């Protein structure tokens, strides 16, 4: 199970929204043109692509910012872009995602773009538009000023280096110094074998190939590369190195120790942007105060999700919540939610394609009838939310002698059941407001009801959901159990 799971879920379900992360680096536009190929051109021995689909996505440092926004952070982007059509397309993508581009400097050079021509899922050609000249000195100075000014306003900084000219040695030094003064983490994704460019960073995040170039040892000699890399930490005043190793996972190197997180097994469609997802997740986690080991585990999970997609696609917080909250993988305490957290988690489940089932009740003295109801509920969907009457609600409904078991204990017991994915206490006599807030796909009630007598049926049906009535197990109820206990006690007293 993921370390600090409770803190991770709190961040994913709203906590990241309080955090600002600055991404500085090479901003790009990724353009994809997909089509069918069924003949060779008569003009030259090249395939003819019949255009079917075109779309654009943020790339490079912009993709790191998109990943941060997807996690829920307030992402701020800094770098260069030109005054051209590509800039307009990229600005629109970032604006829709909520990425703040206040740190971006307009350049006399073109916006970097990569156009990929894909036929039958096979990339046939990539067309790059970029300048090979260094940015003009006045523009570089303007970027340094703007980026360093923003450092004091954020909780973490990412240097996303694609060796396209934005991250000069002077800029890196100025930003790292500002981050250290502000006492915030700064992470660098390197594109040079000389890691001294990022001296003083919290961590540098090379892949195994990049680390091989930095150490001069062949990448297939993994252990030797990692051993040779450890002196780079003290040589460059890093806290640690974070090494991404594709299907082997991620390794954290400290000066005298290491930690390895194996890759999460998934079908791989496209590794584009996986490194951006990793460093964005690490930065968000460190900004949120999580331990680096926890951050690496979550980054590994996030990378495993994005490589299952085609093209450069950022991670989304709801995807991580769905992956972290299978019924068998969450402790009982993690399932007990207040209304705000329940609403967020249900929204994330729904965004991941889960079918939300809701039922409610007092569940005072758990018995086989309750278990049967909950098992029946799971037949109607993939996530079950249980609305649990609070003590005050039960007292009003059933009299001053009830409940027998307090709400905290009842919630804990119900959350421990594998069939239940979330437990939400409600103080009202009915769960109507809870149902209206969570908007389940399926509303389930056990007992002698009709659809029209089930509280909340109108709201669920109006939203496109349905109501299911399941029979109760005859002879089992909390009331009967109480009567039997009372009778036994009276008989014992008579004897």
């Amino acid at each position: 199970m993921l370390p600090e799971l409770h803190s991770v879920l709190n961040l994913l379900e709203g906590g990241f929204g309080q955090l600002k992360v600055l991404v500085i680096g090479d901003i790009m536009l990724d353009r994809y043109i997909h089509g069918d190929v069924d003949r060779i051109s008569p003009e030259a021995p090249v395939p003819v692509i019949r255009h079917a689909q075109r779309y654009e996505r943020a790339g490079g440092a912009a993709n790191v910012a998109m990943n941060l926004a997807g996690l829920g952070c307030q992402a701020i982007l800094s770098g260069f872009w030109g005054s051209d059509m590509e800039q307009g397309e990229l600005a629109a993508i970032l604006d829709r995602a909520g990425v703040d581009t206040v740190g971006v400097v307009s350049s006399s050079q073109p916006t970097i773009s990569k156009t990929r021509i894909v036929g039958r899922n096979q990339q046939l050609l990539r067309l790059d538009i970029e300048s090979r000249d260094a940015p003009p000195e006045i523009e570089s100075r303007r970027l340094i000023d703007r980026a360093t000014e923003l450092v004091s306003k954020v909780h973490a900084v990412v240097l996303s280096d694609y060796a396209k000219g934005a991250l000069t040695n002077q800029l890196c030094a100025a930003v790292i110094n500002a981050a250290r003064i502000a006492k915030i983490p700064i992470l660098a994704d390197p594109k040079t074998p000389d890691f001294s460019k990022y001296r003083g960073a919290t961590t540098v995040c090379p892949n195994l190939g990049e680390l091989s170039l930095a150490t001069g040892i062949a990448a297939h000699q993994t252990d030797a590369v990692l051993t040779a890399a450890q002196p780079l930490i003290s040589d460059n005043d890093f806290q640690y190195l974070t090494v991404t190793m594709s299907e082997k996972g991620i390794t954290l190197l400290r000066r005298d120790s290491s930690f390895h997180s194996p890759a999460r097994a998934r079908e791989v469609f496209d590794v584009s942007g996986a490194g951006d997802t990793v460093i964005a997740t690490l930065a968000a986690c460190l900004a949120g105060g999580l331990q680096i080991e926890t951050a690496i585990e979550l980054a590994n999970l996030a990378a495993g999700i994005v490589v299952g997609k085609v093209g450069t696609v950022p991670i989304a917080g709801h995807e991580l919540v769905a992956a972290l909250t299978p019924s068998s993988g969450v402790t009982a305490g993690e399932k007990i939610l207040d209304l705000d957290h329940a609403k967020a988690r249900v929204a994330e489940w729904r965004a991941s394609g889960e079918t939300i089932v809701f039922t409610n009740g007092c569940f005072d003295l758990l018995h086989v009838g309750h278990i049967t109801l909950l098992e029946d509920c799971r037949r109607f969907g993939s996530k079950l939310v249980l609305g649990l009457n609070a003590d005050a609600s039960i007292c009003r409904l059933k009299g001053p002698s009830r409940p027998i078991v307090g709400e905290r204990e009842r919630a804990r017991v119900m959350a421990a059941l594998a069939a239940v994915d979330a437990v939400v206490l409600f103080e009202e006599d009915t769960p109507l407001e809870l149902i209206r807030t969570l908007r389940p796909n399926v509303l389930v009630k056990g007992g002698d009801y009709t659809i029209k007598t089930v509280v909340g049926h109108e709201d669920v049906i109006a939203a496109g959901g349905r109501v299911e009535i399941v029979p109760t197990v005859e002879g089992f109820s909390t009331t009967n159990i109480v009567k039997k206990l009372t009778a036994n006690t009276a008989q014992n007293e008579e004897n």
Side-chain angles (χ1 to χ4, degrees):
M1 184 178 294
L2 188 76
E4 303 182 276
L5 180 58
H6 182 72
S7 297
V8 170
L9 290 173
N10 279 340
L11 287 170
L12 287 168
E13 294 174 338
F16 278 140
Q18 309 304 313
L19 302 175
K20 295 181 179 179
V21 181
L22 172 64
V23 181
I24 311 168
D26 298 299
I27 299 171
M28 307 177 196
L29 176 72
D30 284 339
R31 181 181 290 119
Y32 296 83
I33 298 176
H34 286 257
D36 294 325
V37 179
D38 53 18
R39 65 190 181 98
I40 300 298
S41 171
E43 303 167 353
V46 295
V48 175
I49 307 293
R50 188 186 310 112
H51 178 219
Q53 183 184 21
R54 166 182 161 166
Y55 54 90
E56 291 76 30
R57 289 174 177 160
N63 185 47
V64 178
M66 290 287 288
N67 275 274
L68 285 160
L71 290 169
C73 294
Q74 299 178 50
I76 303 173
L77 183 61
S78 185
F80 293 120
W81 58 22
S83 301
D84 43 36
M85 180 179 68
E86 285 75 17
Q87 182 272 335
E89 293 174 346
L90 184 53
I93 293 169
L94 295 168
D95 183 63
R96 286 195 298 270
V99 175
D100 189 343
T101 56
V102 66
V104 180
V105 171
S106 294
S107 174
S108 56
Q109 297 179 335
T111 303
I112 300 170
S113 66
K114 300 177 182 179
T115 301
R116 297 169 174 87
I117 312 295
V118 181
R120 294 188 178 180
N121 296 320
Q122 175 66 49
Q123 187 175 145
L124 303 177
L125 179 70
R126 195 180 90 181
L127 172 65
D128 290 6
I129 298 177
E130 62 184 72
S131 173
R132 297 217 171 181
D133 298 327
E137 178 64 27
I138 188 171
E139 293 176 2
S140 292
R141 186 69 253 172
R142 191 179 302 135
L143 180 60
I144 292 173
D145 292 343
R146 194 168 299 182
T148 51
E149 180 185 356
L150 289 168
V151 170
S152 63
K153 302 176 182 179
V154 299
H155 300 91
V157 179
V158 175
L159 297 175
S160 181
D161 196 346
Y162 277 79
K164 302 298 184 182
L167 292 181
T168 62
N169 289 350
Q170 293 83 356
L171 183 145
C172 290
V175 169
I176 291 170
N177 182 61
R180 294 187 69 149
I181 291 172
K183 297 182 179 180
I184 59 174
I186 180 163
L187 303 85
D189 188 355
K191 280 298 180 289
T192 171
D194 182 8
F195 289 179
S196 65
K197 179 179 181 180
Y198 317 104
R199 184 183 304 278
T202 305
T203 187
V204 170
C205 306
N207 60 38
L208 195 56
E210 292 162 344
L211 194 61
S212 170
L213 293 175
T215 59
I217 298 175
H220 71 272
Q221 298 177 350
T222 304
D223 292 340
V225 172
L226 295 176
T227 299
Q230 282 186 299
L232 296 174
I233 301 171
S234 54
D235 291 348
N236 294 288
D237 195 21
F238 304 144
Q239 290 187 27
Y240 35 80
L241 282 174
T242 310
V243 188
T244 57
M245 302 191 297
S246 189
E247 74 280 358
K248 296 179 182 178
I250 303 176
T251 294
L252 172 72
L253 293 177
R254 297 188 186 275
R255 300 184 183 191
D256 54 3
S257 64
S258 64
F259 167 79
H260 182 70
S261 173
R264 302 296 186 265
R266 280 181 177 263
E267 187 173 3
V268 176
F269 285 97
D270 194 337
V271 298
S272 300
D276 295 338
T277 298
V278 168
I279 199 166
T281 307
L282 292 175
C285 290
L286 294 180
L290 297 178
Q291 298 296 317
I292 182 58
E293 289 82 3
T294 302
I296 285 175
E297 294 280 17
L298 192 65
N300 216 348
L301 182 61
I305 292 171
V306 299
V307 298
K309 305 175 182 180
V310 177
T312 305
V313 183
I315 191 65
H318 68 80
E319 295 172 313
L320 286 171
V321 172
L324 289 169
T325 55
S327 299
S328 59
V330 182
T331 64
E334 301 293 343
K335 296 181 185 180
I336 303 171
L337 308 173
D338 60 28
L339 184 56
D340 288 340
H341 283 89
K343 183 179 179 181
R345 191 166 300 181
V346 165
E348 287 153 350
W349 284 336
R350 183 177 285 110
S352 295
E354 307 285 0
T355 300
I356 313 301
V357 182
F358 179 91
T359 193
N360 66 279
C362 300
F363 295 91
D364 194 12
L365 296 182
L366 187 65
H367 53 73
V368 68
H370 293 145
I371 299 299
T372 301
L373 168 65
L374 298 174
E375 289 175 344
D376 284 338
C377 287
R378 284 308 292 263
R379 293 190 292 109
F380 301 119
S382 52
K383 295 292 182 182
L384 173 58
V385 179
L386 174 64
L388 191 65
N389 291 75
D391 288 352
S393 174
I394 295 177
C395 183
R396 289 193 301 270
L397 293 172
K398 297 183 178 293
S401 63
R402 300 282 295 275
I404 296 167
V405 180
E407 62 188 42
R408 294 178 60 184
E409 292 77 14
R410 284 185 292 117
R412 184 79 177 184
V413 168
M414 300 310 296
L417 299 176
V420 176
D421 297 290
V423 177
V424 189
L425 286 160
F426 63 93
E427 298 283 344
E428 300 80 12
D429 291 347
T430 75
L432 183 58
E433 290 305 314
L434 186 55
I435 291 168
R436 287 174 173 171
T437 299
L438 300 183
R439 299 183 297 108
N441 304 104
V442 186
L443 176 59
V444 181
K445 194 66 179 175
D448 188 19
Y449 285 86
T450 64
I451 289 177
K452 291 186 177 180
T453 60
V454 176
V455 170
H457 75 276
E458 292 178 332
D459 297 273
V460 172
I461 292 172
R466 70 183 195 273
V467 180
E468 297 285 350
I469 309 297
V470 298
T472 56
V473 179
E474 292 296 330
F476 289 94
S477 71
T478 301
T479 300
N480 287 342
I481 293 173
V482 172
K483 288 179 179 178
K484 186 174 181 179
L485 289 172
T486 302
N488 289 341
T489 300
Q491 185 176 359
N492 290 334
E493 290 176 350
E494 290 176 2
N495 295 336

